[in-house]
């Protein structure tokens, strides 16, 4: 340590101090000692050397910052690509139903705030798209939106994925790595399937929500998290809390503003618009000929209960577009069991006494008469055009050959035009 005793012991007779600065910022100082009187002509060289050192330090710092930002950008690109793929599967917020308008009004309310949002709904309803819209309409829209699929992260890697790690923190940590919270700095992090997060990580997630602070794995340095959290789940988190599988305090911190995304079967009015949108999207992505979406096909879509929701609708339409080859779309859907009345078997008549039961069915002759009347009505509506757009076959949702067979069965022929 430099002091009077050291100066005497070393017989120091002179010294010079040159401050190290870069663009006015003090970075340190160069101190030189001499046992002889310091020559006057050497004094400027000390400052020149100090200025070079200052520039070198600034360059090293800038290079380190560039490397950090480059690594962060690479991570953002990876996570954003994942998010774009997921969001693209649902297109934009398509539809005009009251249920969808209610969701949009909730997004408009909460997006400008910094409140945490919990998006609830079945698998495939489009929770990712709601999170994207919240971010897009918020003050953080110019920052990154990082999606984390919590169901796909191995249990032992949660902490590293969320918060990052430093080199040597564990086997395989060969370099420093930023976590998803650091990657989402200044933006939004979307925790999909948040109910899959282990309890020990839930505690650290709660700290970020409350204190906005965290540490990388193996690092003592505390970092500040300037991130908005949007979470989503298809689980009943209240039941998970009761079963001690999810922290109650974390649940209430996430559930500041819940948004319930309805199942597709609860907004069937949106099916025609969604179908048209997905047809156009599939044609553009698959580079297929554009098929015709008929009224009969739309009716078929609306009579199915869609257990896979919007994601299933997207996949069904994509498959149909490939098979249509530019013709009318046909969908291979299971029988919509939800629309079929329950069958009741009984040995007794439902009428009073021993009289015949009240007729609630059609005889074969009546059924055939109804079929013929319906066929005539369709042919007249199509002006006896059999095939092609708005033809009778398309309106019925059958092949032209099938329609010709039915017409022959009922001896139906196009009437001759009347003379004027």
């Amino acid at each position: 340590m430099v002091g009077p005793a050291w100066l005497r012991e070393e017989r120091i007779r002179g010294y010079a101090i040159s401050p190290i600065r870069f663009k006015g910022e003090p970075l340190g100082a160069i101190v030189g000692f001499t046992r002889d009187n310091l020559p006057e002509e050497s004094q400027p060289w000390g400052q020149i050397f100090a200025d070079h050192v200052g520039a070198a330090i600034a360059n090293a710092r800038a290079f380190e910052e560039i490397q950090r930002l480059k690594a962060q950008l690479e991570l953002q690109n990876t996570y954003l690509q994942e998010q774009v793929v997921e969001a693209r599967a649902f297109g934009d917020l398509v539809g005009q139903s009251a249920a969808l308008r209610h969701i949009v009004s909730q997004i408009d309310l909460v997006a400008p705030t910094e409140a945490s949002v919990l998006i609830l709904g079945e698998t495939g309803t489009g929770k990712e798209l709601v999170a994207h819209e919240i971010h897009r309409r918020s003050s953080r829209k110019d920052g990154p939106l990082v999606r984390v699929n919590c169901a796909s992260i191995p249990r032992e890697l949660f902490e590293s994925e969320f918060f990052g790690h430093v080199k040597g923190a564990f086997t395989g940590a060969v370099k420093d790595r930023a976590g998803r919270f650091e990657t989402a700095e200044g933006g939004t992090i979307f925790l999909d399937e948040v109910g899959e997060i282990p309890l020990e990580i839930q505690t650290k997630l709660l700290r970020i929500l409350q204190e906005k602070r965290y540490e990388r794995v193996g690092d003592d340095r505390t970092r500040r998290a300037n991130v908005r959290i949007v979470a989503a789940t298809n689980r009943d988190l209240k039941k998970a809390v009761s079963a001690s599988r999810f922290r109650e305090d974390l649940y209430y911190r996430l559930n500041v503003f819940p948004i319930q995304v309805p199942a597709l079967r609860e907004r069937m009015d949106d099916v025609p618009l969604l179908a048209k949108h997905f047809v156009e999207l599939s044609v553009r992505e698959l580079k297929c000929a554009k098929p015709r979406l008929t009224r009969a096909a739309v009716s078929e879509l609306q009579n199915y209960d869609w257990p896979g929701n919007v994601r299933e609708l997207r996949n069904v339409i994509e498959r149909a577009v490939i098979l249509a080859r530019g013709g009318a779309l046909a969908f291979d859907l299971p029988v919509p069991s939800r629309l079929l009345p329950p069958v009741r078997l009984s040995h007794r008549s439902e009428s009073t006494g021993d009289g015949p039961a009240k007729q609630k069915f059609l005889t074969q002759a009546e059924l055939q008469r109804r079929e013929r009347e319906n066929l005539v009505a369709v042919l007249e509506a199509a002006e006896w055009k059999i095939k092609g757009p708005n033809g009778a076959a398309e309106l019925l949702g059958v092949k032209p050959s099938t329609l010709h067979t039915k017409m022959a069965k009922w001896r139906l022929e196009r009437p001759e035009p009347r003379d004027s």
Side-chain angles (χ1 to χ4, degrees), residues 77 80 86 120 212 232 289 294 313 382:
N77 287 339
L80 289 174
E86 291 295 327
L120 307 167
K212 304 292 184 182
T294 66
L313 174 64

Side-chain angles (χ1 to χ4, degrees), residues 2 6-7 12 14-16 31-36 38:
V2 176
W6 180 83
L7 294 174
I12 299 299
Y15 66 90
V31 182
F33 298 92
T34 177
R35 293 188 177 90
D36 298 318
L38 192 66

Side-chain angles (χ1 to χ4, degrees), residues 188-216:
T188 305
I189 189 166
F190 173 48
L191 302 178
D192 196 11
E193 301 304 339
V194 69
E196 302 294 333
I197 299 177
L199 281 170
E200 58 270 21
I201 305 300
Q202 291 177 26
T203 304
K204 299 189 176 184
L205 181 59
L206 180 64
R207 183 190 176 200
I208 286 187
L209 281 164
Q210 292 177 335
E211 304 176 14
K212 304 292 184 182
R213 297 181 185 280
Y214 68 97
E215 290 89 24
R216 286 183 177 182

Side-chain angles (χ1 to χ4, degrees), residues 268-308:
M268 282 299 190
D269 292 347
D270 290 335
V271 168
L273 289 174
L274 283 167
K276 180 181 177 182
H277 173 74
F278 288 142
V279 167
E280 294 173 353
L281 192 64
S282 298
V283 167
R284 189 164 59 249
E285 291 183 350
L286 301 174
K287 295 180 172 54
C288 295
K290 186 173 182 178
R292 297 191 311 277
L293 182 63
T294 66
R295 284 189 293 175
V298 171
S299 178
E300 185 180 3
L301 294 176
Q302 288 182 300
N303 285 333
Y304 181 57
D305 57 1
W306 300 108

Side-chain angles (χ1 to χ4, degrees), residues 18 54 57 102 106 119 145 147 150 186 190 192 212 235 253 264 294 316 365 367 407 412:
S18 301
I57 292 174
H102 178 64
Q106 288 184 302
I119 306 171
L145 170 60
R147 176 182 177 270
C150 300
F190 173 48
D192 196 11
K212 304 292 184 182
R235 284 188 174 192
R253 292 289 299 187
L264 183 56
T294 66
V316 166
L367 190 62
M407 291 174 64
L412 295 175

Side-chain angles (χ1 to χ4, degrees), residues 127-183:
K127 298 186 291 295
E128 300 93 338
L129 186 57
V130 174
H132 177 81
E133 286 299 312
I134 290 172
H135 174 75
R136 190 176 67 84
R137 303 180 190 204
S138 73
S139 60
R140 295 175 175 266
K141 61 184 178 181
D142 294 329
L145 170 60
V146 175
R147 176 182 177 270
V148 185
N149 184 357
C150 300
S152 66
I153 301 176
R155 187 181 186 90
E156 63 275 9
L157 295 181
F158 261 99
E159 188 172 2
S160 175
E161 283 291 319
F162 275 12
F163 312 120
H165 62 255
V166 297
K167 180 179 178 181
F170 51 84
T171 303
V174 295
K175 63 178 181 178
D176 290 0
R177 182 179 185 273
R180 309 248 182 155
F181 276 90
E182 188 173 344
T183 305

